[in-house]
Amino acid sequence: MPETDGAGTTSPPSVLVADDNEVAQRLCKRVLEKAGYPVLIAGDGLQAVDIALHQRPAMILMDVAMPGIDGLEAMRRIKAEIPAMPIVIASAHSMSSDRERFLAAGADNVLSKPFRLADLISMVQSLVDAK
Amino acid sequence: MRQVARGSSRTRILVRRATPFAAVAAVFAVQALAQAEPVVAFPLYLSIVLLASLQPDRARSFAVAAVAAVAVVIRPLAANRDASEVASSVLLAAVLLGVALAIGELTRHARAAASATERQLDELTASDRRLRAALESAEVGLGLSELDGKLIQVNERMAALLGRARDEVLGDRLVDFASPADRAGLEEGLAMLQNGDVTRWEAEISQSKGDGSTVPVAMFLARLPNTATGEPVVLVQETDITARRRADALLDCVAAVRQIIVNSSGVDSAMPALLSTLCSHLGWTAAQHWALDADGKSMRVRYAWNGSGARADGFLHASRGIALAQESGVVGRAWQAGTVTAEIDLEHAADYPLLAAARAAALLSAVALPVVAGGEVGGVIELVSDVRRTPDDDLVTMLATAGVEIGQFISRAETAQALRRSEADHRTMFERSPIGIARISSGGELLEANPALLQMLEHDVDTMRTSAWPDMLRAYDQAASRSQKAPFLAGITDGSSLQVRAATGAGNWLWLQLTVTSIPDSSGVPEHVLVMIEDVTAVRETSDRLSEALEAQRDANANLEKIDRTKSEFLSIVSHEFRTALTGIQGFSELIRDGGLEADEVRAYGGYIFNDADRVNRLISDMLDLDRMESGRMSMRTSEVDINDVLMEAISRAVPGAVTVEFKSDLDPRLPIVAGDRDRLIQVVSNIVNNAVKYSPEGGTVTLSSRADGRYVLISVTDTGIGIPQDEIGHVFERFRRVRSGAAQSIPGTGLGLTIVKQIVEMHGGRIWVESAVGHGSSFHFTIPLAPESTNALQLRHA
């Protein structure tokens, strides 16, 4: 199943992690790569949109509170271009009202921070495999 | 026979008239026949002319003389004699004519004198007749007496005045007819006339008539010389003055009534005097005043006067006991008719309610005069008499007049009494009112202030008038202008009410409610103004406190809402911060727990966990700090602090960031000492400096400066960093602002640093603010007050 980087070559499906927190970036990168998914990193919303549109990850793990445009705005812009792009909102805003808010904004799923590593992997797997 | 007689008489007259002419003709005939000279016949002619001239008919005597003259001159003229003859005959003729003229004139004078005497005699006789008739028919009594007063002669009127026949009085002395009281005076008068001390004497005396009654007369005596006897006599003239006396009495009575009315102090004192005056002047026995009851349906005796003995007392007493109805008796009829009414025969007046009492008191007549005021009968005055009396027109008129005057007087007195009572009521209200009342002139001056007002404002009348009231007037006008009402003097609307603030004499401030009412004069022009002044301080303060409390409650509610909102927002932010930190801690610790890691991996992950745990710890510390500061539970260890030292310390502690920045300092070497908590101040400066470093680009500059600014030290930290957008600059000191805005999230911090800085500066009594321009950098400035000694030192230095 591994894919090569670059268009046209077969390579494993990559996951874009958009988060301004370096610790969160490292954690996700470490866990997802161990699970077999190459990880792309974006430090803010605009960067996330740019990478999503140009590198076409299999899915996106998107934080909300980021400098510049926030995760929700980034998601809106990405979905506008690639409606089928699976996006999981991973946020420390974890009240029930927040969850509803994110789903209503178009998120495919919501992952509350802090999270169990197994939950992260299974959520990514379910979305990537569904494609 | 009678015609014959008349015819013969006429003939006689003719014969007598023709005779002188015939005589002249006869003489002329003889003279002509004898051819004698006229001189010869002249004596004959002269005789004839003389005789003719003695007759009363002067024309005929001249005619005779003329004929004789012609007879004398005719011959010489006819015979053409010489001039001397003609002249002498003409002279003779002239003599004849002259004689006739002279005799005629003499005769005429003699006759005129005789007829004048005759006429005078006739006139005297007629005059004497007229005089006698006049004397006899004169309204005046006339008579003659001897000097001792013995009557010689009297006219009818005199006899009538004396009440006796003329024969009876002749020979009696005048003094005998005078009433005893006047006799001495009359004797004296006669004595003076007798002595010749006076020639005239007059007096008013009373005379007794033959029937025993008396009559008042005006007597005039004059001493006259008597030519017949040589003895002087006295002319006596008497006039009956009964009517004048009565009229005078009525006038006197009216005058007395007016006098009492003018001088009286009230109805109660005047009425008995009026009743007494009516009785005494008009000769009535008793009088009582019946006054109309309040219901206007009956009259009761209010005042009475008894001018006689005890007999009338019973009658007056009986009168007091009854309420008299209209039309009842003489009083009731006077009441109903509104005119003076008389009861001539009281004994038999069936409608008289006090008949028995009147009989018992032997009262025979009564007259009732209505007491009228404003056209209404308000009472009746009843006069009773123990002799039978028929009031004449004069008395009725007089009583009617008196009734009107007394009525007007009572009405005036009652009005005055009512006014006095009303005035007294109002005065009492004014004096006793618990509300302050001031009377203000139309010019705005205080005329009067009641005791309540003076007490309320703790002023005496003078300070009230000169200062307190003018102040209050100004306050009124200001309050009026605020509430768009007219100023006090411009347009006073009744009942206009305003609240003003005023100081009392003792310096307490009161809220006063002024209610203004203008009092118009009779023409409707505002004459003065009544101001009612109430102390509404308590009410006002209560309502102020109430509205303050309501305001506070509203604010508190708004605050609570805000706090609530802030709290949930805060909670959301804090939980986000914690969860973000916990994400790393939980994730990496899960990796470590699951094992299978390289040693350096474990070390690195342990570092992440430690950093996030540390961040959580700082977050908790900052939150607790802030909570203590905001709730005032943070204590400061205040000492004298040198700010320059604080700045240098902060620079030395600055956390080295990812970039290199250059620190500069611009410190005032003579900076005064401040009073403050040194550690807290270092925390403030470090925080700001770390912020500056965080946002600075590589090679940026952070400048710290200090200088004295009045009673403060001003500290500034200026960087050359990214700056703060204009819409963010007002919020930089708010909690978690950094996190919320998402600005520079990659730069670590709890989001509470500047909030804590602001709290510490304000706890020192200082102020903090920020200036910034995006792309150029930011300047944080804050002030810390000087220590008190420093202030003094500074002043000394300036001096």
Side-chain angles (χ1 to χ4, degrees), chain B residues 149-370:
Chain B
K150 195 179 287 172
L151 288 166
I152 306 165
Q153 209 177 341
V154 296
N155 68 353
E156 270 308 324
R157 181 66 191 156
M158 181 84 173
L161 275 175
L162 295 172
R164 294 172 177 85
R166 218 190 293 212
D167 300 345
E168 282 182 84
V169 300
L170 292 179
D172 284 349
R173 292 180 73 239
L174 205 48
V175 177
D176 297 336
F177 303 114
S179 61
D182 292 328
R183 277 181 194 159
L186 184 53
E187 289 274 26
E188 199 178 332
L190 285 167
M192 286 192 289
L193 287 170
Q194 203 164 10
N195 297 341
D197 291 347
V198 295
T199 53
R200 305 153 66 86
W201 181 87
E202 55 190 319
E204 290 185 0
I205 64 165
S206 259
Q207 276 183 341
S208 301
K209 295 176 85 167
D211 61 4
S213 66
T214 60
V215 60
V217 296
M219 178 174 282
F220 173 75
L221 303 179
R223 178 178 159 140
L224 300 177
N226 190 327
T227 48
T229 61
E231 278 291 308
V233 292
V234 173
L235 171 69
V236 181
Q237 179 189 315
E238 284 186 0
T239 318
D240 183 348
I241 55 168
T242 310
R244 207 189 79 208
R245 273 278 166 84
R246 202 165 52 221
D248 284 352
L250 295 181
L251 287 176
D252 285 353
C253 183
V254 170
V257 164
R258 282 180 187 153
Q259 188 72 17
I260 290 166
I261 286 172
V262 167
N263 294 330
S264 87
S265 57
V267 176
D268 286 338
S269 64
M271 279 313 290
L274 287 168
L275 297 179
S276 149
T277 293
L278 289 172
C279 284
S280 61
H281 275 81
L282 305 176
W284 292 76
T285 307
Q288 47 193 4
H289 172 232
W290 298 82
L292 198 58
D293 278 346
D295 62 3
K297 288 178 180 160
S298 56
M299 284 193 178
R300 286 170 197 280
V301 170
R302 190 171 292 167
Y303 307 99
W305 172 258
N306 184 358
S308 70
R311 272 200 305 181
D313 279 345
F315 168 77
L316 295 175
H317 183 75
S319 300
R320 283 192 177 280
I322 67 161
L324 193 92
Q326 209 168 20
E327 288 184 79
S328 171
V330 65
V331 173
R333 277 181 275 130
W335 171 13
Q336 191 191 24
T339 54
V340 175
T341 307
E343 183 61 75
I344 297 159
D345 185 4
L346 206 54
E347 280 183 292
H348 300 98
D351 66 345
Y352 194 70
L354 295 156
L355 198 56
R359 277 181 184 157
L363 298 172
L364 299 181
S365 294
V367 66
L369 55 132

Side-chain angles (χ1 to χ4, degrees), chain A residues 20 26 30 65 94 113 117, chain B residues 579 583 590 605 608 745:
Chain A
D20 65 334
R26 285 183 189 157
R30 168 71 178 77
S94 49
K113 291 177 177 174
L117 301 179
Chain B
R579 283 186 169 127
T583 304
E590 192 179 348
Y605 297 165
Y608 299 148
Q745 277 217 332

Side-chain angles (χ1 to χ4, degrees), chain B residues 58 160 399 431 568 614 649 690 711 792:
Chain B
R58 292 179 70 199
L399 289 176
E431 297 290 343
S568 57
D614 183 51
E649 177 78 26
N690 288 339
R711 296 175 49 243
N792 296 340

Side-chain angles (χ1 to χ4, degrees), chain B residues 70-145:
Chain B
V70 169
V72 171
V73 296
I74 194 135
R75 192 168 156 84
L77 281 174
N80 282 323
R81 301 286 177 85
D82 57 31
S84 65
E85 273 180 61
V86 172
S88 67
S89 64
V90 168
L91 185 65
L92 289 174
V95 169
L96 286 173
L97 285 170
V99 165
L101 195 65
I103 296 296
E105 199 57 24
L106 282 171
T107 312
R108 194 175 64 82
H109 276 288
R111 290 233 176 80
S115 72
T117 308
E118 208 167 290
R119 233 174 11 253
Q120 265 177 347
L121 205 60
D122 287 349
E123 278 170 14
L124 272 175
T125 311
S127 166
D128 184 49
R129 248 196 331 271
R130 281 198 299 276
L131 196 58
R132 279 180 182 281
L135 289 178
E136 284 305 327
S137 63
E139 283 301 305
V140 177
L142 288 171
L144 289 174
S145 77

Side-chain angles (χ1 to χ4, degrees), chain B residues 376-445:
Chain B
E376 297 289 323
V377 178
V380 172
I381 290 175
E382 181 186 25
L383 305 176
V384 292
S385 175
D386 53 11
V387 295
R388 204 174 301 286
R389 300 186 61 158
T390 308
D392 58 13
D393 288 350
D394 288 344
L395 178 62
V396 167
T397 306
M398 181 264 146
L399 289 176
T401 307
V404 170
E405 297 207 356
I406 292 170
Q408 285 169 347
F409 161 66
I410 291 174
S411 164
R412 270 198 309 276
E414 281 172 352
T415 306
Q417 175 66 25
L419 276 175
R420 271 197 296 276
R421 207 175 297 128
S422 158
E423 166 69 17
D425 284 354
H426 288 133
R427 181 50 46 185
T428 306
M429 267 187 253
F430 184 79
E431 297 290 343
R432 304 256 175 93
S433 166
I435 295 173
I437 303 174
R439 219 153 55 76
I440 309 300
S441 76
S442 56
E445 289 92 28

Side-chain angles (χ1 to χ4, degrees), chain A residues 20-21 23 26-27 30-31 34 65-68 91-95 113-118, chain B residues 572 575-576 579-580 582-584 586-588 590-591 596-597 601 605 608 612 742 744-746:
Chain A
D20 65 334
N21 188 300
V23 177
R26 285 183 189 157
L27 180 65
R30 168 71 178 77
V31 171
K34 187 98 177 183
M66 290 187 290
S91 172
H93 294 295
S94 49
M95 298 188 177
K113 291 177 177 174
F115 44 79
R116 293 296 180 97
L117 301 179
Chain B
S572 163
S575 65
H576 181 271
R579 283 186 169 127
T580 302
L582 285 172
T583 304
Q586 188 178 317
F588 284 112
E590 192 179 348
L591 278 175
L597 301 178
E601 275 186 315
Y605 297 165
Y608 299 148
D612 272 350
Q745 277 217 332
S746 57

